[in-house]
Amino acid sequence: MSKSTTLSLGTDNIGKLLFNYAIPAIIAMTSSSLYHIIDSAFVGHGVGGAAIAGMAITMPIMNISSAFGAMVGVGAGARISLRLGEGNRAAAEKTLTNAILLNIVIGLTIMAVMLLFLDEILMVFSGGKASAETLEYAREFMQIILLGNVITHLYLGMNDMIRSSGYPRKAMYITLTTFAITIILNPLFIFKFGWGIRGSAAATVIAQFVAFCIALSHFSSRKSFIRFKREAFRFDRKIIAAILSIGLAPFLMNLCASTVAAFVNSAMLRYGGMGVSDIVPRESGAADLYVGAYGIVNRVILLFVMIIQGLNQGMQPIVGYNYGARNYGRVRKALFMTIGVGMTISTIGFLLAQIFPESIARIFVDSAKGGDESLMVQAATQGMHLVTMMFPLVGFQIVVGGFFQYIGKAQLAIITSLTRQLIFLLPLLWTLPRMLGAYGVWISMPIADSASILLAFSFFVWQMRKMRSEELRLRR
């Protein structure tokens, strides 16, 4: 992070800055999301629809693990950026080593607890309603994933710190490497070796292990701006507390995502097929199809959300620097440009989901087989139509939520992000499916989106007026 690079944030063309900072982040985030889509497609075609449902049940568990990983990675990355900005390289290196130690402890703890109580955890997150076949697939997948949990935490955490310490392109290349290895190993393990869903999990762990080794070599190299120092490998309570406090917001967001996924799975298993508008009638095993359909829809939606999140990461240094410098004109320009691009991305997602929902769903399962696979495609098609109803405006809500976080308004960021899940969506998921079945689950999401968009807009207007007032005061 050179001085000239920092100064350019206050002088260079906003569009050029946003392009240069956002593209590596978008590529990294998109490849991560595409991995989940392609992974599910290989499982759906190579193992079957029940395996897709099994993977959907594991989503809340994966989100819980990700919540802890994001808390350490984001918290440590932000602290490293701050210390480097102060010119304190030694403090940045202490943060690096404390994050490594913290990830090892958390990763091992989650692995041990979840492996020990895996059956009970799967029953809780499936609402006790999933079929034995679906639960077996979920168990087989998670057993392998959990064995590599420490590697996952270390890889993701170190990649965040590589990006924060001034190597965004290297972080992107590491993510792309993980994606490429997974794409190569998945069909090999599933189709050639016949390992089924375990093969998919093994491909994920192996790819992340390779990425972990690359990240490890980066921080072990003398060429790295910050690197491992033996004397720094000791726990520091103040550093640990700072990492956890900074990372609290993404932790809560991931935890809420896990809660929502668990509620959706439970509602689908309990009420799927009971509504008059439901595509698949209630019958033996039909509820599992709705869980698989939700898994398909969720992965498609996540792709566009991750692209916008990558765009947000590109906006972060621009608005942060200029807001701190009270250059509010550049802040507004960067924000409005990001909102425009973000809404364009979400509108593209809306159009694809409305025009080609069945073709998208067929990427995941072979509906030509008929039976359950064909019914799952029909359910996912209906779900995509309904869930994306408000999607053109969702891009605005995501960008504004990120903006509040980047200018230090953590409370507004948390409220903007969490109200959609906790205040609006969960009550709807508790009530509407009882009356409308799976249709009630699907329709809950655009209703919650509408409420959260209105809330984000009100906060956005308030913040713009506050910036205008401050700008006028500075001119006097």
Side-chain angles (χ1 to χ4, degrees):
M1 290 184 182
S2 66
K3 186 176 181 181
S4 61
T5 299
T6 303
L7 291 175
S8 71
L9 293 170
T11 57
D12 282 4
N13 178 270
I14 294 293
K16 178 183 175 183
L17 285 171
L18 187 60
F19 180 86
N20 289 337
Y21 278 90
I23 291 301
I26 289 173
I27 291 173
M29 299 290 272
T30 303
S31 64
S32 177
S33 185
L34 280 174
Y35 148 70
H36 290 292
I37 288 176
I38 296 173
D39 183 39
S40 298
F42 281 132
V43 169
H45 285 274
V47 186
I52 291 285
M55 291 181 73
I57 287 175
T58 68
M59 279 196 296
I61 306 172
M62 302 275 278
N63 284 337
I64 289 174
S65 182
S66 296
F68 285 99
M71 180 168 59
V72 177
V74 173
R79 184 177 169 84
I80 285 172
S81 294
L82 181 62
R83 292 296 172 260
L84 289 178
E86 296 169 351
N88 193 342
R89 189 188 298 188
E93 289 174 337
K94 284 184 179 179
T95 301
L96 166 66
T97 52
N98 271 263
I100 296 296
L101 294 172
L102 191 58
N103 265 325
I104 292 173
V105 171
I106 293 175
L108 286 173
T109 302
I110 291 175
M111 179 189 74
V113 171
M114 288 194 173
L115 280 176
L116 189 61
F117 301 103
L118 183 57
D119 287 345
E120 291 82 358
I121 292 170
L122 290 173
M123 288 297 292
V124 168
F125 283 111
S126 66
K129 299 291 184 179
S131 68
E133 182 185 17
T134 296
L135 285 174
E136 181 59 29
Y137 280 127
R139 184 184 301 108
E140 290 179 0
F141 184 75
M142 282 308 302
Q143 283 173 341
I144 304 296
I145 292 294
L146 287 172
L147 288 174
N149 191 61
V150 175
I151 296 300
T152 302
H153 277 243
L154 289 171
Y155 146 61
L156 293 174
M158 283 197 286
N159 213 35
D160 276 331
M161 290 183 282
I162 287 172
R163 183 182 301 108
S164 301
S165 58
Y167 301 89
R169 289 186 180 274
K170 190 165 191 176
M172 176 190 72
Y173 293 141
I174 291 174
T175 303
L176 290 175
T177 299
T178 310
F179 173 70
I181 293 172
T182 306
I183 297 307
I184 293 170
L185 293 183
N186 246 307
L188 182 66
F189 290 171
I190 294 174
F191 297 104
K192 180 69 174 178
F193 295 169
W195 292 354
I197 199 168
R198 288 183 182 272
S200 177
T204 299
V205 173
I206 292 171
Q208 291 180 348
F209 178 75
V210 173
F212 160 74
C213 291
I214 297 172
L216 192 65
S217 67
H218 170 83
F219 285 121
S220 301
S221 171
R222 292 185 177 182
K223 295 180 180 180
S224 175
F225 188 66
I226 64 169
R227 56 185 181 271
F228 295 134
K229 296 289 179 63
R230 184 178 299 178
E231 61 273 15
F233 272 96
R234 60 182 65 181
F235 281 109
D236 185 310
R237 291 184 181 179
K238 290 184 179 179
I239 293 176
I240 294 294
I243 290 173
L244 297 180
S245 63
I246 294 171
L248 183 60
F251 172 78
L252 292 175
M253 292 174 192
N254 278 280
L255 200 61
C256 282
S258 176
T259 303
V260 167
F263 262 77
V264 171
N265 285 339
S266 178
M268 287 297 196
L269 288 166
R270 189 179 297 271
Y271 304 110
M274 295 176 65
V276 294
S277 299
D278 286 353
I279 296 294
V280 184
R282 187 74 176 182
E283 56 188 18
S284 177
D288 286 38
L289 298 178
Y290 282 105
V291 174
Y294 167 64
I296 291 172
V297 173
N298 188 63
R299 278 164 168 74
V300 173
I301 297 300
L302 187 62
L303 171 62
F304 293 95
V305 170
M306 294 291 271
I307 294 173
I308 301 171
Q309 293 286 17
L311 180 68
N312 267 2
Q313 287 184 14
M315 175 182 68
Q316 176 186 11
I318 305 170
V319 299
Y321 178 90
N322 286 284
Y323 188 83
R326 297 184 178 182
N327 195 344
Y328 298 126
R330 287 177 65 82
V331 172
R332 282 194 298 272
K333 189 172 182 179
L335 174 60
F336 292 153
M337 191 175 293
T338 307
I339 288 174
V341 178
M343 291 182 67
T344 299
I345 293 168
S346 60
T347 300
I348 291 171
F350 165 79
L351 292 174
L352 290 174
Q354 294 298 317
I355 299 172
F356 307 108
E358 187 173 347
S359 298
I360 294 172
R362 285 176 179 169
I363 294 172
F364 295 86
V365 289
D366 186 3
S367 61
K369 294 179 180 178
D372 289 351
E373 280 73 14
S374 179
L375 292 173
M376 186 177 291
V377 167
Q378 293 177 44
T381 298
Q382 182 190 46
M384 260 183 273
H385 269 305
L386 296 173
V387 169
T388 59
M389 286 171 60
M390 295 302 299
F391 212 55
L393 296 177
V394 167
F396 168 82
Q397 189 262 339
I398 295 172
V399 172
V400 170
F403 170 72
F404 289 135
Q405 183 177 343
Y406 304 151
I407 64 172
K409 307 290 184 182
Q411 289 182 331
L412 287 181
I414 291 173
I415 292 172
T416 303
S417 300
L418 297 191
T419 47
R420 189 260 180 189
Q421 319 237 51
L422 290 180
I423 306 301
F424 302 134
L425 185 53
L426 289 185
L428 291 168
L429 289 173
W430 183 259
T431 55
L432 292 185
R434 297 167 183 264
M435 299 179 286
L436 303 172
Y439 187 90
V441 178
W442 299 130
I443 204 67
S444 295
M445 299 180 198
I447 294 174
D449 286 336
S450 301
S452 64
I453 289 164
L454 287 173
L455 182 67
F457 181 74
S458 65
F459 287 154
F460 167 78
V461 171
W462 174 81
Q463 183 61 40
M464 290 301 102
R465 288 176 177 172
K466 185 177 179 181
M467 285 170 55
R468 289 282 188 187
S469 298
E470 179 67 11
E471 202 170 28
L472 290 173
R473 187 187 68 80
L474 292 171
R475 288 175 180 176
R476 291 171 186 167

